[in-house]
Amino acid sequence: MRNLKRGGMAILTSASVIGLLAATAPVFASSHREAPGITKSPKVDGTDFYMFRSYEPGREAYVTFLANYQGLQDPGGGPNYFTMDPDAVYEIHVDNMGDAKDHITFQFKFTNTLVNDKGVTLSVGGKTNAIAVRAAGQISAAPTDPALGETEAYTVTMITGDRHSGTRAAVTNATGGGTTFAKPFDNAGNKTLPDYHTYANKFIYTVNIPGCSTPGRVFAGQRADAFAVNLGSVFDLVNFVPIEGDSAPGAGDGGGFPGGITQSHVNDEVMGKKNVTTLALEVPISCLTGSGNGVIGGWTTASLPQARLVDPNPTYKQPTVSGGAYTQVSRLGMPLVNELVIGLPDKDKWNASEPSGDAQFGDYVTNPTFPAILNLLFKAPVNATLHTNIADLAPTNFPRADLVATFLTGFTGLNQQKTVTASEELRLNTAVAVTPRASQSTFGVAGDDLAGYPNGRRPGDDTVDITLRVAMGRLCYPVPINGHATDLGLCKPSDAAVGNVQFTDGAPVHATDLQASFPYLNDPLPGSPLSAHR
């Protein structure tokens, strides 16, 4: 966190910190392949969720939702690339009352279509056959192009009330009133799509949202993943010194922890190297807040039919036979929760649950195992190395009120709803003023930027560094609020021996690395040339 002081670092040496954090690897994947069950269904794996007041100039009266699925996409992952699952429903939920229930849901449903039921065909030796790939030439037109043989489209339905039984109404195109929207072809490469930015922007639609007097916007398509993480080195038993090596992130002065890692995009193994599929929706604030206090909670889900049978005689239209009620298989609100907090036996159960049932997982938050594992494994060697007698490296304030506020209730006076129901949701105070893109702190609230994480989440918020520090007790120390060191009253410095250490994976992100306007995430990396993302 940018304004932390280094006083607490004196108790650690470079060597001891490497050992201390060697067990942290499993937490650094946001929500990519985070539970055993979801690894079987990558098309419905929700990976990141962003919810923030739009900071595109002139759009401050809107909230932007970005729901990412199918993470870790290789840019050259053809020939089928990354279509969405037409059997699934993908949903963005809003709780504007604080009762841990969805009061507004935006449901996305996709269809995949072969042009003329065959795709692109060629006459070869007197016979006309379908080609083996999706495109047979350069693509520039939108929403369709003669060279593209398979297209994707989607609908968006707004559900008011419970998502299963509430009132349903279609989100419609503000131009012409249609209910079907096209999804751009993934970025196969610069030869197929020489101007992907112009091409993809044609798929941003101005839409009429039921009950809203002002139109919003929608986009669904491939984007460059904005999740910043030093992934490979972290999984290699943290093969670096994970404390800020400069006096401030990016300073380049080596004035921080001796031997510590410094911020560099070279350390980033997702952002700038992998793509993801994004469902982006911009909604007027006035249509979201309801009768609450202006704080909204949000989360995403994906659901599949309860039964799916492999068809022994598959066709393009029906490779499997599906039926039964939709069953939730993916859920995501706050980043890193299912990775860092929820125990392995309950990860799939958590993915299938709703916020209203989160009491069953409460012990994972109040008495978290992750810091305890670090303490169990490394307290003795750290004390032996430093000739100290640190009682606990892990925070000792039980129940962990700091984590309860972060993940389950929101913070009093910032993003806590009028009715407080402990539940895991991403919470956003829509009354907090927008911070312009160039002025945003990558550390959000802890960087004295109240418009950032955990008050919602923007693409430029470094949630890996923030979450790691909070888990190890950062909120037990004063944090800067409006320029003043503020004690949140959740725990004490004596509760967290290493709570003010500047932990980092060295993979930076800032809003200026990303687009300045909707849908904010950068254009996807092209499948070719490879030099574009090496």
Side-chain angles (χ1 to χ4, degrees), residues 337-355:
V337 168
N338 210 1
E339 297 76 9
L340 174 62
V341 180
I342 305 300
L344 184 60
D346 288 321
K347 287 181 179 293
D348 290 316
K349 184 176 183 180
W350 189 90
N351 264 343
S353 67
E354 299 186 2

Side-chain angles (χ1 to χ4, degrees), residues 109 153-157 169-182 207:
K109 188 77 171 66
Y154 62 97
T155 59
V156 184
T157 301
V171 173
T172 60
N173 195 331
T175 303
T179 59
T180 301
F181 307 95
V207 294

Side-chain angles (χ1 to χ4, degrees), residues 217-372:
R217 290 186 289 188
V218 71
F219 169 86
Q222 192 179 49
R223 296 282 91 187
D225 203 324
F227 181 61
V229 60
N230 191 352
L231 194 63
S233 295
V234 166
F235 279 109
D236 185 26
L237 298 178
V238 188
N239 195 6
F240 55 91
V241 179
I243 288 184
E244 180 58 55
D246 286 338
S247 60
D253 57 7
F257 192 82
I261 192 168
T262 58
Q263 304 299 311
S264 172
H265 287 297
V266 173
N267 299 326
D268 204 319
E269 297 194 42
V270 176
M271 186 175 178
K273 296 179 176 66
K274 301 291 185 180
N275 292 327
V276 73
T277 300
T278 299
L279 313 184
L281 184 65
E282 188 183 60
V283 182
I285 292 174
S286 59
C287 299
L288 295 170
T289 52
S291 58
N293 64 350
V295 176
I296 60 173
W299 66 98
T300 68
T301 62
S303 302
L304 289 169
Q306 195 167 35
R308 175 177 280 186
L309 301 176
V310 178
D311 195 323
N313 187 29
T315 65
Y316 173 85
K317 292 183 177 179
Q318 188 171 295
T320 60
V321 178
S322 299
Y326 278 109
T327 302
Q328 184 179 302
V329 296
S330 178
R331 170 187 166 192
L332 179 60
M334 298 283 285
L336 298 166
V337 168
N338 210 1
E339 297 76 9
L340 174 62
V341 180
I342 305 300
L344 184 60
D346 288 321
K347 287 181 179 293
D348 290 316
K349 184 176 183 180
W350 189 90
N351 264 343
S353 67
E354 299 186 2
S356 58
D358 281 349
Q360 64 186 312
F361 307 111
D363 287 349
Y364 286 124
V365 179
T366 59
N367 299 74
T369 57
F370 165 61

